[in-house]
Amino acid sequence: MNIKINNNEFWANPGDTILQVAKREGIKIPTLCYLSDLSPTGACRICVVEIENGQLVPACAYPVYDGMVVQTNSKKVRRSRKSIIELLIANHPQDCLVCVRNGCCDLQDLAAEYGVRSYRYVGEKRSGKLDLASPAVERDPEKCILCGRCVRMCHEVQNVGAIDFVDRGFYSQVAPAMNRSLNTTACVYCGQCIVACPVGALREKSYLKQAWEAINDPDIHVIAQVAPAVRVAIGEEFGMAPGSITTGKIPAALRRIGINEVFDTNFAADLTIMEEANELIERIQGGGKLPLFTSCSPGWIKYVEHFYPELLEYISTCKSPQGMQGAVIKSYYAQKTGIDPKKIYVLSIMPCTAKKFEAGRPELSVSHTEPDVDVVLSTREFARMMRIAGIDFTRMPDEGFDDPLGESTGAGVIFGASGGVMEAALRTAHYMITGKDMDRIDFTPVRGLQGVKESSIKIGNATLNVAAVSGLHNIDHFLEDVRNGKSTYHFIEVMACPGGCINGGGQPLPSTPEKIQKRMEAIYEIDRSLPKRCSHYNESIKTLYDEFLGKPGGHKSHEILHTHFTKRESI
Amino acid sequence: MRSEEVYKKYPRNEASNMIAMLQDVQEVHGYLPEDDIIRVAKHLNVPTSRVYGVATFYNQFRLTPLGKHVIRVCRGTACHVKGSLDILNTLEAELGIKAGETTKDLQFTIETVACIGACSIAPVIVIDDKYYGGLTSKSVYKLITEYRKKEDQADKQ
């Protein structure tokens, strides 16, 4: 069918919305409550367009019909949009200067685009209490514009439902049940609500102050570790193209900030693979619980603890790479260098908000009292840190990570994308079982941004059924099958965030599907370009086992690198 | 109906029964206790936040217990013109609660109503199901004092 937008004729599919056609044809219609992939609600009305009878309709929710005539830029449309913005900011705190989203806010951008130059409406504003209780995600209901993107993300994509619309009319707000704090709910701290939020109503808990204090203390030995997905995203914060690979610039910047040593979480990812591949083989050969689920995504772990606690024994006992790196630093590395572990401060830079929560889990620390990871900064916070320190990231030279916990292989870096842990583990499991590498190192069926990727692989005499799942709503039917004893899988990788860590809750904003795609491509490009692409070829890992851990799955490994998770109650 | 019967009456995981179920729970307790909001959510396999959202959206649901006597103050146009705000202020001051709240001793709840439909005797309030019209601050004070006296005597006996 054909429709006319701004006097130009376009072809459209039946069932398309006006917005979909306009987007395809490069005609910009502003949106606030709309998020592709989520159900449209037409709640904010900012996308109104005028149709042939003079009616204003929301482009995001209005289906096209043959012969439709649409104006996206009529006088009526412009006036209406401007009024909507003026009404929204009338009920919004006027504190842009001190807001975490200053310069990265959809509402601010719209007010600028539509030339809003005064607060036209003045009246009573909705009040709401700040929720700062969780270790990872903070809520500021007064900044909320009730677009509902976070609610849809939490319910539809993550299947958690920690927050919803509460009360009504003027008193409406987005809140957890009983208006309690987020930390009393089943919130998994994935931070996807932060990614979805167009304003500053949801944000990560910042630990920059603690990080600076440690850096400024001459008695403390600060060691940073950097997660794989950070290196393909941080450039966006400094105007670099999405997918820019900045592996070498990161340690250079961290040293200039005053970090004593910079290790790579990719090293710990390789270590995780040694342990997890071994665990997979032990379970297959020894008749253990199958399928084995991966344990690197802390949002996923908390999800199981809340909603499927009876299936916890299917989860790998491996700590996450962040947890392993912290544990190895405070045991092996401290011992090797003679530095008192109490004087070592481990600062993680993660694409993730849930890692902030994970770092505080007592079961992840070797001592069970002092945390192995002392502070977790998101990719965004790391960018803020560099700006404060006056570092021009784009001009940093390429430097390497420090030894001995800085060496890594291609298997480590692909942890950053959904399917990567699976692929990395299969590379090493194949070697452990058959004594030789896979004919083709690339295992492409588990790559890509789809929420569910399934495949089978023959290793030796055995055929393994594997799946890589991201976005928590995709995992439920796998878990139901396990619960009912019907699962035919051997190994399932789960990442809480859709697409994996490249799209983590701590990554640069705004996030778009195109950017996620570029970040993913960059991850696999790094893997391709590395001389070693399998964890078992990491020389520093071999040394670590020789000098300290013994063998994968051995007694010492279990003490340092493995853990157990427990059932969690919540409202 | 007793509380357990409500949970027996509705099949598990049928989210479409949420409102009917909440109505029954309210029938049992006079309001929606938090524990029941959580239990209904588990029973229907929906997030607690969603049940709480529904419970706070509809006017028919109460999240706090109702007092023995429910005082409905008409705030419609006619009553407003005839001074219903004074009546409300007097009641709130006298009972030490705001509209929508219940006294600590669970004796009185004050609610406001848009229009009771008894404009000819404005300003009007309804206590339980008795109508009192043509009120002034003074007469409403007297009225509430009488209710309290009656309750005190009942307590003594």
Side-chain angles (χ1 to χ4, degrees):
Chain A
M1 63 174 75
N2 286 306
I3 72 164
K4 255 189 184 170
I5 304 180
N6 302 342
N7 299 323
N8 291 312
E9 197 130 316
F10 298 107
W11 181 82
N13 299 308
D16 275 350
T17 61
I18 300 171
L19 183 67
Q20 282 168 331
V21 179
K23 268 196 155 179
R24 210 161 47 223
E25 302 299 342
I27 299 162
K28 194 187 164 192
I29 296 175
T31 54
L32 260 183
C33 69
Y34 173 82
L35 260 192
S36 55
D37 303 337
L38 298 184
S39 54
T41 57
C44 75
R45 317 309 276 187
I46 199 74
C47 68
V48 285
V49 293
E50 190 174 345
I51 56 174
E52 59 271 14
N53 59 4
Q55 204 188 332
L56 291 174
V57 298
C60 74
Y62 209 83
V64 295
Y65 47 82
D66 198 31
M68 185 179 217
V69 179
V70 178
Q71 292 290 333
T72 68
N73 185 32
S74 66
K75 186 179 174 191
K76 206 169 171 183
V77 166
R78 285 195 305 270
R79 280 186 56 175
S80 166
R81 286 189 191 150
K82 194 171 174 185
S83 296
I84 290 164
I85 298 163
E86 286 168 334
L87 286 165
L88 280 172
I89 63 175
N91 200 3
H92 192 80
Q94 294 162 13
D95 64 354
C96 290
L97 274 179
V98 294
C99 180
V100 68
R101 293 291 291 268
N102 187 9
C104 175
C105 169
D106 289 1
L107 186 59
Q108 202 180 45
D109 291 349
L110 278 172
E113 274 172 32
Y114 281 82
V116 177
R117 290 286 170 265
S118 65
Y119 291 100
R120 191 163 147 212
Y121 304 107
V122 180
E124 195 185 342
K125 291 186 182 184
R126 184 184 57 241
S127 62
K129 63 172 198 277
L130 270 175
D131 175 8
L132 310 178
S134 105
V137 180
E138 296 183 345
R139 291 169 49 245
D140 187 348
E142 291 188 0
K143 289 191 174 156
C144 178
I145 57 167
L146 301 175
C147 68
R149 275 159 48 163
C150 56
V151 172
R152 276 172 284 155
M153 186 60 89
C154 195
H155 287 252
E156 291 179 26
V157 178
Q158 298 301 61
N159 204 25
V160 172
I163 45 174
D164 206 338
F165 286 103
V166 163
D167 284 316
R168 64 178 172 159
F170 183 73
Y171 302 100
S172 295
Q173 59 169 319
V174 170
M178 332 302 174
N179 259 322
R180 289 193 202 163
S181 300
L182 219 42
N183 63 332
T184 66
T185 70
C187 172
V188 302
Y189 303 134
C190 67
Q192 286 300 312
C193 57
I194 300 173
V195 177
C197 185
V199 294
L202 287 153
R203 59 194 182 221
E204 79 268 25
K205 178 169 267 288
S206 179
Y207 291 87
L208 277 179
K209 193 169 165 252
Q210 291 88 329
W212 282 119
E213 266 167 23
I215 292 167
N216 293 337
D217 188 334
D219 290 336
I220 292 180
H221 191 77
V222 182
I223 299 178
Q225 60 162 321
V226 185
V230 175
R231 66 205 66 196
V232 296
I234 183 82
E236 292 168 30
E237 288 274 352
F238 297 90
M240 297 169 80
S244 297
I245 296 168
T246 59
T247 315
K249 293 181 189 304
I250 292 171
L254 284 167
R255 289 189 185 107
R256 280 153 186 79
I257 283 172
I259 305 286
N260 298 96
E261 274 177 293
V262 186
F263 292 148
D264 196 347
T265 310
N266 289 13
F267 167 86
D270 277 336
L271 185 57
T272 305
I273 287 306
M274 298 303 287
E275 293 295 325
E276 199 156 337
N278 178 74
E279 187 180 7
L280 176 67
I281 294 166
E282 277 182 0
R283 288 204 195 186
I284 291 171
Q285 293 176 346
K289 293 273 181 196
L290 288 172
L292 173 71
F293 287 93
T294 58
S295 59
C296 356
S297 168
W300 149 242
I301 293 296
K302 195 162 182 275
Y303 184 80
V304 183
E305 288 176 324
H306 282 294
F307 298 107
Y308 294 88
E310 73 278 17
L311 302 184
L312 279 169
E313 52 191 1
Y314 290 89
I315 307 283
S316 164
T317 58
C318 291
K319 293 180 185 175
S320 70
Q322 163 175 275
M324 284 200 184
Q325 186 73 309
V328 170
I329 289 170
K330 293 219 173 155
S331 58
Y332 167 72
Y333 182 73
Q335 206 173 307
K336 195 177 162 88
T337 53
I339 305 173
D340 178 0
K342 290 201 174 70
K343 301 259 181 203
I344 297 179
Y345 190 88
V346 176
L347 180 155
S348 292
I349 296 169
M350 296 282 143
C352 183
T353 43
K355 290 280 173 197
K356 291 170 185 275
F357 166 77
E358 184 195 89
R361 281 173 174 263
E363 69 271 24
L364 245 67
S365 119
V366 174
S367 66
H368 294 286
T369 47
E370 299 295 316
D372 289 342
V373 172
D374 294 275
V375 82
V376 179
L377 302 181
S378 67
T379 311
R380 296 188 292 267
E381 286 174 283
F382 176 38
R384 270 171 233 151
M385 194 170 217
M386 284 194 269
R387 287 197 198 98
I388 295 171
I391 286 168
D392 182 351
F393 185 69
T394 59
R395 291 174 62 182
M396 282 294 112
D398 283 337
E399 293 181 7
F401 289 95
D402 288 307
D403 281 331
L405 311 178
E407 184 188 350
S408 66
T409 72
V413 78
I414 57 175
F415 267 58
S418 162
V421 180
M422 164 72 57
E423 185 173 342
L426 291 177
R427 290 178 190 175
T428 291
H430 190 283
Y431 180 82
M432 284 178 170
I433 292 171
T434 66
K436 53 183 201 295
D437 286 325
M438 301 198 292
D439 293 338
R440 266 196 75 206
I441 288 292
D442 294 315
F443 187 63
T444 49
V446 291
R447 294 188 184 181
L449 296 176
Q450 313 90 286
V452 176
K453 294 160 284 182
E454 296 160 285
S455 186
S456 292
I457 179 171
K458 203 163 162 25
I459 301 180
N461 300 323
T463 301
L464 301 190
N465 298 326
V466 299
V469 180
S470 68
L472 290 171
H473 79 284
N474 288 316
I475 193 61
D476 272 28
H477 80 267
F478 288 93
L479 293 170
E480 291 298 337
D481 279 355
V482 175
R483 193 184 255 167
N484 300 326
K486 290 198 301 194
S487 180
T488 54
Y489 288 91
H490 298 90
F491 191 25
I492 300 179
E493 178 207 289
V494 190
M495 294 291 158
C497 294
C501 312
I502 45 173
N503 184 29
Q507 291 282 57
L509 297 171
S511 144
T512 61
E514 298 75 39
K515 285 186 190 172
I516 310 304
Q517 175 73 26
K518 293 279 181 212
R519 293 175 193 165
M520 182 188 71
E521 286 165 10
I523 285 276
Y524 288 110
E525 194 184 322
I526 300 176
D527 172 37
R528 250 193 327 274
S529 69
L530 287 172
K532 290 179 186 171
R533 300 182 59 197
C534 300
S535 303
H536 48 273
Y537 294 127
N538 185 323
E539 291 300 328
S540 302
I541 297 265
K542 286 185 197 166
T543 312
L544 173 62
Y545 278 111
D546 287 345
E547 289 183 359
F548 187 66
L549 290 173
K551 61 179 183 15
H555 178 72
K556 190 81 177 171
S557 293
H558 266 280
E559 184 192 323
I560 307 284
L561 306 178
H562 290 256
T563 187
H564 286 282
F565 304 103
T566 44
K567 180 178 174 152
R568 272 173 207 277
E569 297 285 354
S570 59
I571 54 167
Chain B
M1 204 178 336
R2 288 189 25 245
S3 188
E4 288 312 311
E5 290 167 31
V6 177
Y7 293 97
K8 267 189 209 135
K9 179 173 162 191
Y10 295 96
R12 289 187 159 270
N13 306 330
E14 292 269 344
S16 57
N17 289 327
M18 191 194 300
I19 289 177
M21 210 172 161
L22 289 175
Q23 285 169 331
D24 283 359
V25 170
Q26 181 153 299
E27 191 72 35
V28 174
H29 299 281
Y31 74 110
L32 298 177
E34 282 191 358
D35 287 349
D36 282 84
I37 290 178
I38 296 168
R39 195 168 164 197
V40 167
K42 290 220 162 83
H43 191 88
L44 301 176
N45 194 24
V46 293
T48 315
S49 64
R50 183 127 294 175
V51 179
Y52 184 70
V54 169
T56 52
F57 181 85
Y58 290 103
N59 226 350
Q60 60 173 309
F61 294 123
R62 296 189 53 84
L63 296 170
T64 47
L66 218 49
K68 187 175 170 195
H69 301 292
V70 180
I71 307 170
R72 295 196 172 83
V73 182
C74 181
R75 293 284 290 123
T77 315
C79 288
H80 178 71
V81 171
K82 294 284 239 170
S84 67
L85 189 60
D86 289 341
I87 308 292
L88 180 62
N89 287 341
T90 308
L91 283 168
E92 286 182 343
E94 193 46 39
L95 295 174
I97 52 169
K98 292 269 165 211
E101 295 177 349
T102 301
T103 53
K104 274 206 183 107
D105 60 5
L106 295 181
Q107 288 296 342
F108 296 98
T109 299
I110 306 178
E111 285 182 343
T112 55
V113 192
C115 180
I116 283 170
C119 309
S120 59
I121 54 167
V124 62
I125 69 171
V126 188
I127 303 183
D128 304 328
D129 43 16
K130 278 185 92 171
Y131 285 67
Y132 299 92
L135 292 167
T136 61
S137 290
K138 226 175 175 175
S139 61
V140 82
Y141 172 77
K142 244 175 98 182
L143 184 62
I144 211 67
T145 315
E146 276 164 27
Y147 265 89
R148 280 181 141 174
K149 234 186 244 163
K150 250 188 260 166
E151 287 306 327
D152 285 350
Q153 277 165 5
D155 277 353
K156 273 173 202 156
Q157 288 161 7

